[in-house]
Amino acid sequence: MPISRSRRITALFLLGTALPVAAFDDPLLNAPELPTVLSASRLKQAPTEVPGSMTVIDRELIRATGARDIPEILRLVPGMMIGYRRGNQINVNYHGTNVTEARRLQVLIDGRSVYRPGLATVDWTEIPLAIEDIEHIEVFRGPNTAAYGANALMGVINIVTRHPRETLGSTLKITRGKRGVNDWYASQGTAGENSHWRLSLSGQEDDGFDHFPDGRDYRDGRRLSRINLSSSLQLSANQTLDWQAAASETNRQSYYEFSPFVRVPNPPQSQYDRVVGAHTPPADISGKDYALQGLWKIEPSPDHSFQLMAYAQHMERLRDWRVCNAPVTLSPELRRINQLSTLAARRVSQFLRPENIHRDMRTLLMQTTDGQYTEEIGDLADIVKQKHLDSLDSDPACWDIDQNIRETRYQLELQDTRRLSHWLRMVNGISYRHDQASSRTFFAGTVKNDIVQVFSNIEVRPHQRLLLQAGGMYEDASLIGTSFSPRLAANLFIAPQHSLRLVYSEAVRSPDMYENNAHWTYQIKNLSGPLSGPQTYYAVAYGPGNLQQEKMRSKELGYNGQFHHLGLAIDIRVFREQINDMISEPLRVDDFLPNNDASIRFRGVETQLDWRLTRRDRLRLTHAQINFEASSRFDQRLTARHSGSAAWLRQWPAGFESSLIYYGADKLNERRFERLDSRLAKRFALGNNSSMELALTWQHRLDDEALTWSENLYDSRNHYYLSAELNF
């Protein structure tokens, strides 16, 4: 849909809603009660009052998707790009950018961040939360550093869990299906005199994608188990204490992806080639996540509330395997070349291939190292070349390595919310967070970061037609320094529960420990082959330590309308966003050059429509058109020009319900994506307080493309699974 057409549609909506202006009433006093959201400004607000664009995916929608993973639910969010690195590694990017990393979204579970402190990403598979325990998901689409600090650069996803009082009794659920799907869920909810509790246990298992393009089996299955304990205590008439404890244990299959220094030809030509080419051991990843969080709320009066939130969490990603490589990778000569020029070291690896091995190394290096060639590099390269030739008829060097990392976070946050008058509200707060990452491989030890945040958001209503908001976050990080992120917004009510909004915001993303503070090299353990004694790997990657924060400026014009007599809700967002000082370069041990040289510009239109046509029918449509200009080729892969969804939910007689959902994106990492999902469920009443539900979920790919990457292939376009749920 062209932008100009979208703007015409926007104008028609606005003209329609402007008709009852003469009979305008205070939207706070006379409008029907609307659901409220918290994730935008930390103030409870109706959709028409939010200083930005919100998508709320309620429990009905979550169930209708039949999704087994949270990212699949997020396909319902306009502008959200869902990509698969492999079957057990999913990336979620709002508006795109780098295809293999999702660095610019803050993801919360009841206010607790699951954004990894060490490697700046979210491991969706390892999150210790079952979909069955989710009440709804609030997605703030756009920069929100003003409310949640650095890393909320592109937006905030806040996953809100079900209150224990809503889950009393017992639930058992199993799911079986194609592609090795084998899931289970069990929960028990109880109530005391002043408390509610829920214990839930769950597990997932599947085989991932089926095969590589050449037909080889693709090892990307997963197995995981989770436990959650949630409690809500009523301490007094105006005090509550909510707390949660969660843990997960996962195993993700992964193929051998350690790249030998010299590529093995096909067919192999030497003893070295034969051994290295045949050495492909599994390199699976095991993960453990633990979290404990508490929220203490006091409400001295209806116009004043105070809360203290504290949490601690620990993440482990453990991966070790045995690698085989050319003996020259442990030579002091190659290590010296890498110190002088990492580009020259990479070029040497290319020129040691069989097709280049007899060409003059010095000439090739002079032609391909962009002026980094020196006579010392040439002399060292000749030695490396001769050493490699001498080792071709012997076994390679083999040793044990690991990519283990352990990350820990503690946070304490105070928040005070007040209504000072009928026209003035504000929220203020302060938080302290300690982040820590430990890895012998990535950091040669432990890196720590202490962050202090001070935030405020003020809401002023000078007139019943106008709502003004100003907010900001001051942040001081020991590894980065200080920053301030402001936001200004104005909501003009053109009719009750119909508003225009104008938003300007600035946001930042701090470079993570991996980007800025890495000390990455592989430790040599249990060495075998032609070498012996202590050895050192040639490649060492150092984080620069002086990376700047990524900086974003965003301008937004939007409309939110609630047509209560039609059961219709509409939100439209027209935006211009620019990110400067982006960190987009690859981050590999042999090519580790993070910098702030990249930038990207987005502009476009997003629309979402939620329409309850009848008591039994619900229609939901989303669309995003995004135009972008990216300076780095790595940020040009995961932004679809057009994407969206269309969903029809229906409640049938006799306890049947169905859903039909279309998802589409025209260009996701250069590949089209279209899928049609359907779910059919039947509920049986077994007694006064017990029931059973049987549900069939079927997914059909309408395209014949690989999913995000060329190796992500299925044998069939169809995927289905059946679930049975018992409540008593």
Side-chain angles (χ1 to χ4, degrees):
M1 182 183 294
I3 292 181
S4 59
R5 184 181 175 190
S6 296
R7 287 175 177 165
R8 290 198 297 270
I9 293 174
T10 304
L12 290 174
F13 281 137
L14 301 184
L15 285 173
T17 57
L19 294 177
V21 167
F24 192 95
D25 291 315
D26 188 335
L28 287 179
L29 299 178
N30 296 336
E33 184 177 351
L34 289 174
T36 58
V37 293
L38 275 170
S39 302
S41 64
R42 295 177 179 256
L43 290 168
K44 284 186 178 181
Q45 295 173 309
T48 52
E49 301 169 348
V50 171
S53 294
M54 289 288 300
T55 295
V56 180
I57 305 174
D58 56 40
R59 184 162 176 78
E60 180 185 25
L61 274 173
I62 293 172
R63 288 179 62 88
T65 65
R68 301 174 54 245
D69 295 287
I70 295 172
E72 287 294 329
I73 300 171
L74 297 175
R75 292 189 186 277
L76 293 169
V77 179
M80 198 67 77
M81 309 297 169
I82 312 301
Y84 279 75
R85 184 64 186 91
R86 53 179 61 96
N88 53 34
Q89 183 180 346
I90 314 173
N91 290 325
V92 177
N93 284 288
Y94 182 58
H95 289 176
T97 68
N98 194 300
V99 67
T100 57
E101 302 291 342
R103 298 173 175 152
R104 300 176 176 94
L105 273 177
Q106 180 62 274
V107 179
L108 310 171
I109 298 178
D110 294 325
R112 172 176 60 87
S113 173
V114 294
Y115 188 93
R116 292 178 60 181
L119 298 183
T121 189
V122 176
D123 287 341
W124 292 95
T125 292
E126 281 85 353
I127 290 178
L129 177 66
I131 286 180
E132 289 80 4
D133 288 336
I134 298 175
E135 178 62 31
H136 66 271
I137 302 174
E138 298 180 2
V139 182
F140 185 89
R141 304 180 347 255
N144 204 359
T145 305
Y148 292 97
N151 303 329
L153 185 81
M154 298 293 290
V156 175
I157 299 172
N158 189 17
I159 303 167
V160 181
T161 62
R162 304 186 71 189
H163 194 282
R165 67 170 173 266
E166 304 296 332
T167 56
L168 299 180
S170 303
T171 298
L172 300 174
K173 180 180 178 181
I174 58 171
T175 302
R176 300 289 186 273
K178 289 184 63 177
R179 300 172 185 165
V181 170
N182 184 5
D183 303 345
W184 60 275
Y185 171 83
S187 72
Q188 177 64 49
T190 60
E193 183 177 354
N194 296 304
S195 63
H196 295 86
W197 303 75
R198 179 181 67 246
L199 173 66
S200 63
L201 307 171
S202 59
Q204 277 185 278
E205 187 174 348
D206 60 57
D207 295 336
F209 293 104
D210 292 325
H211 58 82
F212 286 99
D214 61 7
R216 289 181 295 124
D217 180 48
Y218 195 169
R219 292 191 75 259
D220 66 338
R222 59 176 171 169
R223 178 197 56 77
L224 62 103
S225 56
R226 299 169 293 224
I227 181 171
N228 276 264
L229 179 61
S230 180
S231 174
S232 179
L233 309 176
Q234 188 74 40
L235 302 179
S236 66
N238 64 353
Q239 292 189 61
T240 60
L241 174 63
D242 298 336
W243 65 269
Q244 300 176 36
S248 69
E249 183 272 332
T250 63
N251 179 271
R252 290 189 280 140
Q253 291 182 330
S254 185
Y255 48 87
Y256 182 71
E257 57 184 13
F258 182 88
S259 299
F261 184 70
V262 182
R263 189 179 66 190
V264 175
N266 188 18
Q269 301 178 10
S270 66
Q271 172 68 6
Y272 164 81
D273 295 337
R274 285 188 289 272
V275 175
V276 172
H279 184 76
T280 57
D284 296 350
I285 304 168
S286 63
K288 295 180 180 179
D289 283 27
Y290 308 95
L292 178 65
Q293 69 183 101
L295 180 64
W296 177 37
K297 288 185 178 181
I298 306 175
E299 295 184 353
S301 72
D303 295 327
H304 182 204
S305 68
F306 172 86
Q307 69 178 41
L308 172 65
M309 183 182 71
Y311 68 81
Q313 63 185 25
H314 179 74
M315 306 174 180
E316 294 183 2
R317 302 293 178 266
L318 307 179
R319 187 186 197 193
D320 55 77
W321 67 102
R322 189 164 183 81
V323 302
C324 291
N325 210 344
V328 293
T329 58
L330 305 181
S331 69
E333 293 83 9
L334 183 58
R335 187 159 58 254
R336 177 57 180 164
I337 293 175
N338 189 72
Q339 291 172 350
L340 296 171
S341 167
T342 57
L343 177 60
R346 292 200 303 277
R347 293 292 183 259
V348 167
S349 72
Q350 296 175 15
F351 303 146
L352 291 181
R353 296 173 182 175
E355 64 268 24
N356 296 319
I357 193 68
H358 297 297
R359 300 173 66 184
D360 181 67
M361 181 77 77
R362 290 174 180 266
T363 301
L364 293 172
L365 287 171
M366 282 193 293
Q367 293 173 347
T368 60
T369 53
D370 301 331
Q372 299 181 30
Y373 175 81
T374 65
E375 286 299 318
E376 182 182 2
I377 289 177
D379 294 340
L380 294 167
D382 284 340
I383 297 174
V384 169
K385 176 180 177 179
Q386 188 57 51
K387 282 189 173 184
H388 183 63
L389 286 170
D390 294 342
S391 67
L392 286 177
D393 291 328
S394 64
D395 289 336
C398 298
W399 64 90
D400 296 336
I401 66 171
D402 71 65
Q403 289 186 352
N404 298 339
I405 182 171
R406 294 170 172 84
E407 298 164 273
T408 303
R409 170 174 290 150
Y410 306 99
Q411 179 158 344
L412 182 67
E413 179 182 277
L414 300 173
Q415 178 176 304
D416 184 81
T417 306
R418 296 173 183 264
R419 178 184 290 274
L420 301 178
S421 68
H422 71 280
W423 56 270
L424 177 62
R425 286 198 306 165
M426 65 189 306
V427 57
N428 302 289
I430 185 171
S431 73
Y432 166 76
R433 189 174 83 235
H434 174 80
D435 289 345
Q436 178 175 303
S438 299
S439 174
R440 181 174 55 181
T441 299
F442 294 122
F443 302 113
T446 299
V447 180
K448 300 178 181 180
N449 193 22
D450 294 290
I451 304 103
V452 175
Q453 298 175 327
V454 180
F455 56 89
S456 180
N457 194 84
I458 301 174
E459 182 186 275
V460 182
R461 192 180 297 274
H463 188 274
Q464 62 181 7
R465 293 179 180 270
L466 184 62
L467 180 66
L468 303 176
Q469 298 182 66
M473 170 79 74
Y474 170 83
E475 193 164 2
D476 184 8
S478 60
L479 290 180
I480 304 299
T482 61
S483 62
F484 179 71
S485 302
R487 176 173 60 202
L488 299 172
N491 294 62
L492 175 65
F493 290 87
I494 56 178
Q497 297 308 323
H498 295 270
S499 70
L500 292 173
R501 62 178 178 271
L502 182 64
V503 185
Y504 172 80
S505 56
E506 297 180 4
V508 297
R509 183 187 79 87
S510 298
D512 69 3
M513 298 171 180
Y514 176 53
E515 294 165 319
N516 208 26
N517 305 97
H519 181 174
W520 182 9
T521 191
Y522 290 112
Q523 308 293 323
I524 308 301
K525 299 173 291 184
N526 301 323
L527 177 66
S528 66
L531 302 176
S532 61
Q535 299 287 340
T536 304
Y537 192 57
Y538 85 96
V540 181
Y542 294 99
N546 60 355
L547 290 174
Q548 303 299 308
Q549 291 179 318
E550 297 181 345
K551 300 177 180 64
M552 180 178 186
R553 291 188 176 183
S554 172
K555 300 175 182 178
E556 174 182 332
L557 174 64
Y559 161 77
N560 187 278
Q562 307 289 324
F563 298 82
H564 298 287
H565 60 292
L566 298 175
L568 176 64
I570 298 173
D571 186 88
I572 300 173
R573 180 180 190 238
V574 182
F575 59 88
R576 288 182 179 270
E577 302 167 339
Q578 177 153 346
I579 309 175
N580 295 318
D581 299 328
M582 285 182 67
I583 305 168
S584 298
E585 291 300 305
L587 302 176
R588 303 196 310 266
V589 66
D590 61 346
D591 187 13
F592 197 87
L593 297 170
N595 57 61
N596 291 110
D597 295 344
S599 64
I600 194 168
R601 179 181 301 166
F602 296 106
R603 58 185 177 87
V605 180
E606 295 172 354
T607 305
Q608 65 181 22
L609 178 151
D610 199 324
W611 189 6
R612 295 187 179 272
L613 293 86
T614 69
R615 291 176 52 252
R616 295 182 177 272
D617 294 279
R618 181 179 180 182
L619 180 67
R620 193 175 185 280
L621 305 173
T622 69
H623 178 260
Q625 176 184 325
I626 303 172
N627 297 301
F628 68 96
E629 300 171 11
S631 64
S632 171
R633 63 187 177 90
F634 300 105
D635 292 319
Q636 299 173 1
R637 309 288 296 278
L638 198 63
T639 299
R641 300 284 183 177
H642 293 272
S643 61
S645 65
W648 173 40
L649 283 61
R650 168 74 174 174
Q651 300 286 337
W652 300 89
F656 283 95
E657 62 181 43
S658 66
S659 61
L660 190 65
I661 307 177
Y662 165 83
Y663 304 104
D666 63 351
K667 195 176 181 182
L668 206 61
N669 198 22
E670 311 302 324
R671 292 172 175 82
R672 183 170 61 96
F673 172 80
E674 287 187 277
R675 197 178 76 198
L676 187 64
D677 291 9
S678 62
R679 181 177 183 268
L680 179 64
K682 162 67 174 174
R683 182 170 293 274
F684 302 88
L686 303 179
N688 293 333
N689 297 309
S690 61
S691 64
M692 173 179 284
E693 181 186 81
L694 299 178
L696 174 66
T697 300
W698 171 65
Q699 299 175 344
H700 174 68
R701 287 288 296 275
L702 300 173
D703 63 85
D704 56 359
E705 302 275 354
L707 188 55
T708 313
W709 290 96
S710 61
E711 64 265 29
N712 292 343
L713 296 170
Y714 288 122
D715 293 328
S716 170
R717 294 189 186 185
N718 295 298
H719 178 39
Y720 56 82
Y721 41 91
L722 178 68
S723 64
E725 180 178 327
L726 177 64
N727 295 280
F728 57 96

